[in-house]
Amino acid sequence: MTTVVFADLVGSTSMFERLGDETASRFVTQLVGALSQVFEQHSGRVVKLLGDGLFVVFPHEGDALAACISIQMRFLEKPIRAGGSGAPVQMQMGIESGEVVEIDGDCFGDTVNSAARLADLAGAAQILTTQNVWSALAPLQQSSLRSLGPIHLRGRAEASHVYRVEWQTGRDEDATMMGRSIASSGPPQVLALVAGEQTVQIDASSLAISIGRGAGASLALNDPRVSRMHAMLEWRGGQFVLSDASSYGTWVYFGNQSEAVVLRRTECYLVGSGQISAGCERKEGSPLISFSIIS
């Protein structure tokens, strides 16, 4: 088994626009080089430098987790600002463990793809991982992981049980892309949905609501790409669950991420805030529903 880490710099596009290509490139190169040394100190091997990120493999899950936490802590304790100004640098990270095919020093396979998708899904200063990694960790490290439940990662048919690493005690969880851990306890939650001029709210006491093209839908979307009974939303097992029942699928975008969790007769938990695009990818003119969970 090999543990794969993808670590990406957050907001690099705006950095290049602000500093210019030459200055920003020099800064990113130096930063990525320094991060490579940290990973190597934790028994990691840098497979590739990805412009504003790194692709690293480890022989053990615990080493990978320790390396990622070490880097996040360094950015917290000693903030780095590109060009000496602007917002501090932040990283988003994904960790996965499994079989990897190695050819001429490069690594391929589903494990690699999963780690990359987790990094895409993670928010700034966030580390996401899966059940594969959790199961291999020592109890002390396991205790730092909080379940986000099953999530469909792009390109994978089966849902992955995703965990967020709580590397900073007392951190404001709502600042992360995925929002508050769905496993956490707290005040009653309300899911607010907005589609055009329609507004719907559900909570733990609400019946399931329907999304569809039909006049009887709780949230009606008049678009040919939307099925008559497109999807259902309900409170189940302490979580808000979106279930797709459509012909063309449902795209769920969490926070500000550009990559969607795609549902095709499958389901996912809704956490934090984001958008639901029914029947097609999010684009101009697509039938969109904005959602947010209010505690």
Side-chain angles (χ1 to χ4, degrees), residues 231-243:
M232 296 290 295
L233 259 169
E234 61 182 325
W235 176 266
R236 188 204 312 156
Q239 324 299 339
F240 292 109
V241 182
L242 175 65
S243 304

Side-chain angles (χ1 to χ4, degrees), residues 5-11 15 27-39 52-54 66-83 86-93 123-127 167-168 171:
V5 169
F6 274 79
D8 297 322
L9 186 64
V10 176
M15 181 199 306
F27 171 81
V28 170
T29 298
Q30 293 174 346
L31 178 64
V32 169
L35 295 178
S36 297
Q37 295 179 13
V38 177
F39 281 123
D52 59 353
L54 303 95
C68 291
I69 292 176
S70 174
I71 288 172
Q72 297 288 19
M73 289 297 297
R74 290 190 184 202
F75 283 131
L76 175 67
E77 294 169 355
K78 297 181 179 180
I80 300 173
R81 290 175 167 81
V89 170
Q90 293 180 302
M91 301 292 292
Q92 55 192 124
M93 298 175 168
Q126 192 177 70
I127 308 166
W167 60 270
Q168 181 185 345
R171 184 174 181 222

Side-chain angles (χ1 to χ4, degrees), residues 237-257:
Q239 324 299 339
F240 292 109
V241 182
L242 175 65
S243 304
D244 174 75
S246 68
S247 300
Y248 300 115
T250 302
W251 281 252
V252 184
Y253 298 85
F254 291 97
N256 296 319
Q257 71 174 25

Side-chain angles (χ1 to χ4, degrees), residues 14-234:
S14 60
M15 181 199 306
F16 275 81
E17 292 175 351
R18 181 170 62 88
L19 299 179
D21 290 347
E22 183 177 350
T23 301
S25 295
R26 188 182 309 115
F27 171 81
V28 170
T29 298
Q30 293 174 346
L31 178 64
V32 169
L35 295 178
S36 297
Q37 295 179 13
V38 177
F39 281 123
E40 290 168 354
Q41 290 167 2
H42 288 82
S43 303
R45 177 174 70 85
V46 178
V47 178
K48 286 181 181 178
L49 301 181
L50 306 170
D52 59 353
L54 303 95
F55 167 17
V56 192
V57 295
F58 291 81
H60 304 293
E61 292 83 356
D63 291 336
L65 180 61
C68 291
I69 292 176
S70 174
I71 288 172
Q72 297 288 19
M73 289 297 297
R74 290 190 184 202
F75 283 131
L76 175 67
E77 294 169 355
K78 297 181 179 180
I80 300 173
R81 290 175 167 81
S85 62
V89 170
Q90 293 180 302
M91 301 292 292
Q92 55 192 124
M93 298 175 168
I95 310 173
E96 178 63 296
S97 179
E99 298 297 330
V100 169
V101 177
E102 184 169 342
I103 302 175
D104 296 331
D106 204 349
C107 296
F108 306 89
D110 188 56
T111 300
V112 175
N113 296 335
S114 177
R117 300 293 177 247
L118 288 165
D120 290 340
L121 190 62
Q126 192 177 70
I127 308 166
L128 295 184
T129 188
T130 67
Q131 183 73 38
N132 294 336
V133 174
W134 184 92
S135 299
L137 294 174
L140 182 60
Q141 287 184 309
Q142 285 179 341
S143 67
S144 69
L145 272 57
R146 296 293 177 267
S147 172
L148 294 176
I151 294 177
H152 281 81
L153 303 178
R154 186 168 64 88
R156 303 194 71 177
E158 299 295 327
S160 300
H161 195 121
V162 176
Y163 291 81
R164 183 181 60 219
V165 180
E166 300 293 343
W167 60 270
Q168 181 185 345
T169 303
R171 184 174 181 222
D172 180 5
E173 295 172 353
D174 287 330
T176 66
M177 178 177 294
M178 293 294 295
R180 189 180 302 276
S181 168
I182 63 175
S184 63
S185 60
Q189 294 183 328
V190 175
L191 174 62
L193 303 162
V194 178
E197 297 181 356
Q198 302 175 82
T199 301
V200 175
Q201 292 189 346
I202 66 173
D203 58 25
S205 63
S206 303
L207 298 175
I209 69 166
S210 59
I211 299 170
R213 197 173 74 250
S218 307
L219 200 60
L221 301 174
N222 185 21
D223 189 287
R225 293 165 290 190
V226 179
S227 299
R228 289 189 178 277
M229 179 55 70
H230 194 94
M232 296 290 295
L233 259 169
E234 61 182 325

